[in-house]
Amino acid sequence: MTEAPRSRRWPLWVFLGVLAALLSCGVPAVVIVTFRDSGPGAAANASPIPIHSPKPGDPEQVSQLWLRERIAEVLTQQAGRCFAATSGASSRWLSRSRRRWARCAGSSGRSAH
């Protein structure tokens, strides 16, 4: 008689486990997303005006924002170059593979398609 109530409890434990996992992962994620853009430099980051290069005596935040802007520019340029190189290399590989397949298919009497 004591086995029947235990076997009916497993859905409760599964529900509690899922609830604990959602709370332990969801609450920190909501807090991070909520407060991510409300930091001390949030207004300066949203500005479309380029930051001037830092001069001696400027606040540290000016140097940080300027450096962040330069890094973002370099990463954007590198991403473009990387994409261009990758797409060119992949198209060369694809055309080379097609030629090889056509040669192999032609020599064995099969069609390439």
Side-chain angles (χ1 to χ4, degrees), residues 13 50 81 97:
W13 289 110
R81 288 186 204 132
S97 297

Side-chain angles (χ1 to χ4, degrees), residues 4-85:
R6 261 192 201 172
S7 65
R8 284 187 241 152
R9 287 186 195 170
W10 72 268
L12 174 67
W13 289 110
V14 170
F15 172 75
L16 289 175
V18 169
L19 183 66
L22 286 174
L23 286 176
S24 63
C25 296
V27 171
V30 168
V31 169
I32 289 171
V33 168
T34 302
F35 294 113
R36 177 182 56 192
D37 293 331
S38 63
N45 287 341
S47 171
I49 301 169
I51 306 297
H52 65 83
S53 85
K55 297 176 180 63
D58 280 345
E60 185 177 316
Q61 187 178 13
V62 172
S63 300
Q64 290 173 349
L65 292 173
W66 179 80
L67 185 59
R68 183 180 300 154
E69 201 172 90
R70 298 291 86 74
I71 290 172
E73 286 177 11
V74 169
L75 289 176
T76 303
Q77 291 171 356
Q78 285 179 348
R81 288 186 204 132
C82 183
F83 179 72

Side-chain angles (χ1 to χ4, degrees), residues 25 49 91 95 107 109:
C25 296
I49 301 169
S91 65
S95 62
S107 65

